[in-house]
Amino acid sequence: MGKLVRFFPVVSKFRYGRNRQSPLNAARRHWITFFQYNTPKKMVNLASLLLQFALKRPVVTAYPSILKVEPTSRCNLRCPGCIAHGTDFPIEEGDMPLALFKKICEELGDYLYKISLYITGEPLLNNQIYDMISYATQKRIGTVISTNFHAFNEDKAERMIDAGLSHIIVCLDGVTQEVYERYRVGGNLDRVLRNLDILTRKKKEKGSKLPFLEIQAVRTGWNEAELPRIAKIAKQLSADRFTIREDLRSYQPATKDRTCFWLWCTALITEKGIVIPCCASAWWNTPKKAFGDLRKDFFSEIWNGPRYVEARRIFSREGGEHDKGQKRSTSLCSTCNIFRCQRTSPTSSAT
């Protein structure tokens, strides 16, 4: 495993692209946890899942191999690119109980390679985050968090490493406080750099290659000149990977229809246990985004429940709403412009 981790930065330096929706780049992002947590049962499930995605089956007999779970919807910064916290979006903040997280792992653990422990909030603000990571590790599920890395210290570094976190993405968008805080509003660059130093030092002290350290910069109009210096800092800190992500506000709608991989390959679960279809829906203030509630039902019931099946039928070979005589879908996904071209999508409201 150690040789794979050391080799990966060489590959990613030349081949890792910016398009995080690309299937090839997605494979490169997840392959370390794939090898570490692979089992025959997980492989069979993944193969079945990908086949049913290719066939666009509205009812899926396999389970997601990756989940996105929200430990907390709270955040300590107000970044302009974050619709949930950087604007007046009416988000109700709270933490996921450990018991609910364990329920998710118990039901889906035999199929999951990884749980991404972040959606809209800062995961390190949940005091039980290290218990969640530890429990997932015990269930042989990889874990990844993306963090602004302010709520951290020596003790938490030891807890993170001991818990077995697979992958940490630290957001670093400048090398001067003036540039950094223009995007990470309310943030402190020195604190992030200090915490990065703590983590890398603790990893060396414990002889641990994990968590895999990725330093990520969001490209903005004011940090372009500092990106090479951020890359240099990542190298000095012995980061395993440095990536540049485009600002969500620079998103361009789809120019042709594609099949939405979210509806077949993964799912999102909010801190309240509400199952929602994709990252984009996390920002939408509409009851249509709730595909189910894990406080009331099992995931298996929700995964092939009416809202998922209706949404998949938009892309299904069995007949989408473009087919003659097909009733127009009322699903939230019918107005998506991420995977559907506006020229062919209906113009009904998503609210």
Side-chain angles (χ1 to χ4, degrees), residues 153-169:
N153 54 35
E154 299 257 351
D155 177 64
K156 291 178 179 179
E158 293 202 6
R159 292 184 65 190
M160 178 180 287
I161 295 167
D162 292 343
L165 181 67
S166 308
H167 183 177
I168 183 171
I169 304 168

Side-chain angles (χ1 to χ4, degrees), residues 105-164:
C105 292
E106 288 292 335
E107 183 178 2
L108 297 174
D110 287 347
Y111 311 102
L112 291 173
Y113 286 97
K114 180 188 289 187
I115 296 178
S116 295
L117 287 162
Y118 62 97
I119 301 178
T120 64
E122 166 50 51
L124 297 184
L125 293 181
N126 186 328
N127 292 329
Q128 294 184 308
I129 186 67
Y130 303 107
D131 296 322
M132 292 178 176
I133 295 167
S134 180
Y135 191 78
T137 302
Q138 293 171 29
K139 300 292 290 184
R140 293 197 53 75
I141 307 169
T143 47
V144 55
I145 63 173
S146 178
T147 172
N148 59 49
F149 222 34
H150 283 66
F152 198 69
N153 54 35
E154 299 257 351
D155 177 64
K156 291 178 179 179
E158 293 202 6
R159 292 184 65 190
M160 178 180 287
I161 295 167
D162 292 343

Side-chain angles (χ1 to χ4, degrees), residues 185-201:
V185 177
N188 184 291
L189 176 63
D190 288 340
R191 182 180 299 176
V192 177
L193 294 175
R194 181 196 66 202
N195 290 337
L196 278 166
D197 181 68
I198 289 172
L199 179 61
T200 53
R201 175 166 47 82

Side-chain angles (χ1 to χ4, degrees), residues 40-303:
K41 188 173 184 177
K42 290 180 182 181
M43 283 195 69
V44 171
N45 179 75
L46 177 59
S48 177
L49 191 68
L50 294 176
L51 176 61
Q52 292 176 73
F53 168 64
L55 295 175
K56 304 179 183 180
R57 295 277 177 83
V59 176
V60 183
T61 57
Y63 291 102
S65 292
I66 298 174
L67 280 184
K68 287 184 73 70
V69 174
E70 180 80 289
T72 179
S73 55
R74 296 183 292 128
C75 192
N76 49 344
L77 303 186
R78 292 294 180 266
C79 309
C82 174
I83 300 174
H85 299 284
T87 67
D88 293 328
F89 185 86
I91 188 169
E92 185 178 345
E93 297 185 337
D95 293 354
M96 173 176 282
L98 181 60
L100 177 57
F101 180 78
K102 288 183 175 181
K103 177 187 175 182
I104 295 167
C105 292
E106 288 292 335
E107 183 178 2
L108 297 174
D110 287 347
Y111 311 102
L112 291 173
Y113 286 97
K114 180 188 289 187
I115 296 178
S116 295
L117 287 162
Y118 62 97
I119 301 178
T120 64
E122 166 50 51
L124 297 184
L125 293 181
N126 186 328
N127 292 329
Q128 294 184 308
I129 186 67
Y130 303 107
D131 296 322
M132 292 178 176
I133 295 167
S134 180
Y135 191 78
T137 302
Q138 293 171 29
K139 300 292 290 184
R140 293 197 53 75
I141 307 169
T143 47
V144 55
I145 63 173
S146 178
T147 172
N148 59 49
F149 222 34
H150 283 66
F152 198 69
N153 54 35
E154 299 257 351
D155 177 64
K156 291 178 179 179
E158 293 202 6
R159 292 184 65 190
M160 178 180 287
I161 295 167
D162 292 343
L165 181 67
S166 308
H167 183 177
I168 183 171
I169 304 168
V170 177
C171 304
L172 185 65
D173 308 303
V175 295
T176 60
Q177 178 63 24
E178 179 183 7
V179 170
Y180 174 79
E181 67 180 347
R182 287 195 67 179
Y183 191 80
R184 302 291 166 183
V185 177
N188 184 291
L189 176 63
D190 288 340
R191 182 180 299 176
V192 177
L193 294 175
R194 181 196 66 202
N195 290 337
L196 278 166
D197 181 68
I198 289 172
L199 179 61
T200 53
R201 175 166 47 82
K202 286 294 182 181
K203 284 174 63 176
K204 290 179 182 178
E205 289 176 4
K206 288 179 168 289
S208 176
K209 294 292 180 182
L210 299 178
F212 185 91
L213 175 58
E214 175 178 352
I215 294 180
Q216 177 179 274
V218 175
R219 186 192 303 273
T220 65
W222 49 81
N223 73 350
E224 194 77 31
E226 294 195 352
L227 292 176
R229 294 173 63 189
I230 301 173
K232 186 177 180 180
I233 289 176
K235 184 176 180 180
Q236 291 171 344
L237 290 168
S238 300
D240 298 293
R241 181 192 296 161
F242 169 68
T243 54
I244 300 172
R245 198 194 78 187
E246 302 303 320
D247 191 335
L248 290 175
R249 294 171 296 176
S250 64
Y251 163 75
Q252 298 295 321
T255 56
K256 63 178 180 179
D257 287 348
R258 295 182 295 135
T259 304
C260 173
F261 70 88
W262 292 95
L263 292 172
W264 276 266
C265 299
T266 186
L268 279 71
I269 302 172
T270 72
E271 79 287 352
K272 293 181 180 298
I274 305 300
V275 178
I276 60 178
C278 66
C279 278
S281 64
W283 316 114
W284 297 337
N285 185 25
T286 169
K288 285 188 176 183
K289 72 180 183 181
F291 278 28
D293 189 340
L294 287 173
R295 295 170 298 183
K296 302 175 183 178
D297 302 309
F298 289 104
F299 183 86
S300 57
E301 298 170 313
I302 298 169
W303 187 233

